[in-house]
């Protein structure tokens, strides 16, 4: 099977999705960078500002199962176009917000749009087009999309300093309409099923039986706990590093390096060339997270320890992002992948929804060690669940 990046038609799809996912995820990082400015302008406390993440993921989670049928019937491209058209007014409403009601209404709209445009949608598109190469294609896409924070955190900070956070929201609405939407409409191919015939030297695979419902719940548990940690820490990382004694500039600098390190971990998984599956990736990467949490808890604000935390946590969380996307491919065949991914997205997003408010409240009330301790417990629990999942691999996956 040729490398995904050597296929011109698939490479074009990867470029389109990489650009649009960078924009989609990067523009949603506003509270992480300029949350205090938004809070002061809207007369809201910081915890309420970060509750926008809850509204975003809650609405994404509730809408995701509803999109399972449109994804199957109309394909990912049409769903992503509709979501992009809906997201731009969300940023316009956010720019015009005058208080909690309009602020949260904007994030509700952005969450509905996100269920049609963010990661799950892009993975479904790749599965439609790449077929048997879906796992490699998803890994290649995530090599780039992990840079969203490294690109957009400094960009958001600079734009807000120059034109204010409200105008920054309008700039991001323009990016969606002038960049993302034309890419989807003109460059993303219509429904294409590119299932390559098996090569003569490749063993034939027998379609896997549908896994037990308990396996689905284990997938939800492992993915949800890791998402709770990843999305929660992603939202509060700058404030967490400031609580460790860093200045705002230092915190943004360290935080921006996280994306680069996460890309390195994803590159290792991608270059593995299918030698291991998403479960193996998740177990190895998941073990790194507790180590990182303990290191930062015991660091005493040391710059060297903080740098080591960013390195270890970045490698672990970067590889886990790939694992969360590809673990369903271990248990579900191509036809069931879209529906299973949409169903898994609901509990995953609901857990992500409550992560930022919980972690920021712990941070403000008890200091940096409290959110780190909770993240440590969740990471350890996720590793235990992953070890249970490893024993449930289908026979042909285990043999491979």
């Amino acid at each position: 099977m040729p490398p995904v990046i050597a296929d011109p038609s698939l490479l074009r799809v990867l470029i389109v999705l990489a650009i649009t996912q960078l924009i989609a995820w990067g523009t949603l990082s506003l509270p992480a960078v300029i949350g205090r400015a938004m809070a002061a302008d809207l007369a809201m406390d910081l915890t309420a500002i970060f509750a926008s993440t809850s509204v975003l993921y809650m609405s994404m989670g509730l809408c995701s199962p509803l999109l399972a049928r449109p994804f199957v019937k109309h394909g990912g491209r049409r769903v992503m176009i509709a979501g992009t058209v809906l997201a731009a007014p969300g940023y316009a409403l956010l720019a015009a917000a005058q208080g909690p009601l309009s602020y949260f209404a904007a994030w509700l709209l952005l969450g509905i749009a996100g269920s049609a445009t963010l990661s799950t949608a892009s993975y479904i598109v790749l599965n439609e087009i790449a077929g048997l190469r879906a796992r490699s294609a998803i890994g290649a896409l995530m090599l780039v999309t992990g840079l969203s924070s490294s690109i957009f955190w400094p960009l958001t900070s600079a734009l807000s300093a120059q034109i204010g956070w409200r105008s920054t929201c309008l700039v991001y609405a323009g990016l969606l309409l002038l960049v993302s939407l034309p890419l989807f409409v003109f460059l993303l191919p219509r429904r294409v099923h590119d299932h390559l015939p098996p090569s003569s030297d490749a063993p034939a695979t027998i379609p896997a039986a549908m896994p037990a419902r308990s396996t689905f719940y284990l997938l939800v548990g492992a993915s949800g706990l890791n998402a709770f940690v990843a999305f929660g820490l992603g939202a509060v990382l700058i404030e967490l590093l400031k609580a460790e004694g860093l200045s705002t500039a230092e915190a943004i600098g360290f935080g921006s390096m996280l994306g680069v390190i996460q890309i390195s971990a994803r590159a290792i998984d991608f270059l593995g060339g299918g030698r291991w599956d998403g479960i193996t990736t998740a177990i190895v990467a998941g073990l790194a997270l507790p180590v990182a949490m303990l290191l930062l808890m015991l660091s005493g604000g040391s710059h060297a320890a903080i740098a080591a935390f960013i390195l270890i946590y970045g490698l672990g969380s970067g590889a886990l992002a790939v694992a969360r996307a590809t673990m369903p491919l271990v248990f579900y065949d191509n036809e069931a992948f879209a529906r299973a991914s949409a169903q898994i997205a609901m509990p995953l997003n609901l857990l992500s929804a409550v992560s930022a408010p919980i972690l920021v409240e712990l941070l403000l009330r008890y200091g940096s060690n409290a959110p780190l301790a909770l993240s440590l417990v969740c990471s350890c629990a996720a590793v235990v669940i992953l070890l249970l999942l490893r024993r449930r691999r289908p026979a042909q996956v285990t043999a491979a």
Side-chain angles (χ1 to χ4, degrees):
M1 204 174 288
V4 293
I5 57 175
D7 182 337
S9 61
L10 187 51
L11 180 59
R12 183 186 70 179
V13 173
L14 284 169
I15 292 172
V16 169
L17 290 176
I19 294 171
T20 54
Q21 288 296 294
L22 279 173
I23 293 173
W25 279 113
T27 54
L28 289 173
S29 64
L30 285 162
V33 181
I34 54 174
R36 291 189 181 275
M38 299 171 80
D41 195 10
L42 296 171
M44 297 168 59
D45 61 41
L46 190 60
T47 301
I49 290 295
F50 278 106
S52 61
T53 306
S54 294
V55 175
L56 176 76
Y57 289 114
M58 192 76 69
S59 54
M60 283 177 60
L62 294 175
C63 289
S64 291
L66 302 178
L67 290 177
R69 185 179 297 273
F71 274 126
V72 172
K73 183 177 180 180
H74 302 293
R77 173 181 174 272
R78 291 184 178 181
V79 175
M80 295 187 83
I81 289 172
T84 303
V85 171
L86 189 62
Y91 284 107
L93 180 59
L94 184 59
Q98 297 299 318
L101 184 61
S102 51
Y103 176 76
F104 289 124
W107 286 102
L108 176 64
L109 187 57
L110 289 170
I112 296 171
S115 65
T117 59
L118 293 176
S119 299
T120 299
S122 66
Y123 305 152
I124 290 172
V125 169
L126 285 176
N127 188 59
E128 291 173 353
I129 296 170
L132 298 176
R133 295 171 293 174
R135 186 183 187 278
S136 295
I138 290 171
L141 173 64
M142 298 184 78
L143 285 175
V144 180
T145 55
L147 290 172
S148 61
S149 60
S150 297
I151 295 172
F152 275 86
W153 282 7
L155 178 62
T156 297
S157 180
L159 281 175
S160 181
Q162 293 296 319
I163 60 177
W165 71 268
R166 294 181 185 274
S167 296
T168 301
C169 291
L170 295 178
V171 170
Y172 288 168
L175 274 179
L176 292 172
L177 293 177
L178 299 177
V179 179
S180 296
L181 186 59
L183 287 175
F184 286 140
V185 173
F186 299 113
L187 291 181
L188 199 62
R190 288 173 172 79
R191 197 94 179 245
V192 176
H193 294 278
D194 180 24
H195 297 281
L196 295 180
S199 60
S200 58
D201 58 342
T205 58
I206 300 172
M210 286 300 290
R213 195 65 182 171
S214 58
T215 299
F216 172 84
Y217 294 138
L218 289 174
L219 279 170
V220 168
S223 299
L225 287 170
N226 279 320
F228 179 92
V229 174
F231 288 101
L233 285 182
V236 305
L237 182 62
I238 292 176
E239 295 297 326
L240 179 69
L241 295 179
K242 287 163 66 175
E244 289 289 328
L246 299 184
S247 66
T248 300
E250 289 174 332
I252 292 176
F254 272 100
S256 297
M257 287 302 298
L258 183 64
V260 178
I261 296 169
Q262 288 172 331
I263 289 298
S264 301
R266 296 176 187 185
I268 294 171
D269 183 78
F270 176 70
L271 294 174
R275 294 182 179 87
W276 52 81
D277 61 18
I279 302 297
T280 301
T281 298
I283 292 172
V284 175
L287 291 171
L289 264 61
V291 174
M293 305 304 167
L294 284 172
L295 182 61
L296 190 57
M297 291 172 69
L298 301 174
S299 69
S302 163
H303 280 48
I306 292 173
F309 162 77
I310 293 291
L311 175 63
I312 298 172
Y313 173 74
L315 291 172
S317 60
L320 278 170
V322 179
R324 283 197 303 273
T326 59
M327 280 194 297
L329 290 172
V330 177
F331 300 98
Y332 297 93
D333 61 22
N334 289 334
E335 293 181 0
F337 179 76
R339 190 176 301 276
S341 294
Q343 291 173 342
I344 291 172
M346 182 181 75
L348 189 149
N349 282 316
L350 293 180
L351 282 169
S352 300
V354 300
S355 60
I358 290 175
L359 294 188
V360 76
E361 185 67 19
L362 289 173
L363 176 64
L364 294 176
R365 283 182 176 270
Y366 305 110
S368 60
N369 278 353
L372 289 170
L374 179 58
S375 300
L376 173 66
V377 171
C378 291
S379 300
C380 291
V383 171
V384 173
I385 295 173
L386 288 167
L387 291 173
L388 294 175
L389 272 174
R390 184 179 63 173
R391 302 178 64 181
R392 295 180 176 229
R393 283 191 183 103
Q396 65 267 30
V397 175
T398 304

